[in-house]
Amino acid sequence: MTTTIEDNALSAELQELFLIAKQWSTDLQFINEESVILKNLIHNPLEPEVNKKQALLFSPLEQQLVKLKLQVIHLQKRLAPLTYGPIKEIKLSLIEEHQLLKSEMEEILLTFHATKNELLGHIPNT
């Protein structure tokens, strides 16, 4: 079964997907920068066991962050030519990749905020 979509509508949808991917890239950069700030902020005044807990929480988050950055860049590279050139063929895998990244982005944002809130709870009030 083939579904035909008007070129203008398809072009607009592809541009929107590209802009979403750019926003994800910005979000990932923000998480990276904020995690560096958090590490510097909480590294010194905390007890050693809290520092160990912080390392355990941030290590998988940082690994996931690196993986997601690469996936978002890959998606942007796939979408970029489709946003300005003639559209010949779009495979379902493009939409599947976008949906997978969407759920992974939501997960990392939630995880980061939960981790940040937990670690900020250990900072003594001054």
Side-chain angles (χ1 to χ4, degrees):
M1 179 159 117
T2 303
T3 303
T4 305
I5 302 173
E6 258 186 67
D7 285 343
N8 290 339
L10 182 57
S11 179
E13 290 296 323
L14 289 169
Q15 288 176 7
E16 184 176 341
L17 289 179
F18 183 76
L19 291 174
I20 289 169
K22 282 183 76 171
Q23 180 60 48
W24 288 345
S25 185
T26 302
D27 290 345
L28 291 172
Q29 185 61 35
F30 174 78
I31 290 172
N32 185 53
E33 290 170 4
E34 194 161 302
S35 65
V36 169
I37 291 169
L38 280 172
K39 283 181 183 179
N40 291 335
L41 179 67
I42 63 177
H43 183 66
N44 294 328
L46 299 180
E47 300 170 8
E49 60 268 3
V50 176
N51 281 332
K52 286 181 189 176
K53 185 176 185 179
Q54 176 246 346
L56 288 173
L57 290 171
F58 271 109
S59 181
L61 190 67
E62 288 173 332
Q63 291 171 3
Q64 186 180 12
L65 190 64
V66 169
K67 182 184 116 188
L68 278 176
K69 280 182 187 179
L70 293 174
Q71 290 175 321
V72 168
I73 289 169
H74 180 265
L75 180 63
Q76 285 177 311
K77 286 182 179 178
R78 286 184 66 191
L79 287 170
L82 298 173
T83 60
Y84 59 80
I87 302 165
K88 295 182 179 165
E89 181 178 283
I90 298 176
K91 296 185 180 185
L92 189 57
S93 64
L94 180 67
I95 295 166
E96 290 171 347
E97 181 179 351
H98 184 269
Q99 285 302 111
L100 178 64
L101 276 173
K102 179 181 177 183
S103 65
E104 289 183 25
M105 283 298 300
E106 290 170 355
E107 180 184 328
I108 197 168
L109 287 169
L110 289 172
T111 302
F112 176 74
H113 288 295
T115 302
K116 178 178 85 169
N117 290 339
E118 181 176 340
L119 292 174
L120 288 176
H122 292 289
I123 295 177
N125 294 332
T126 53

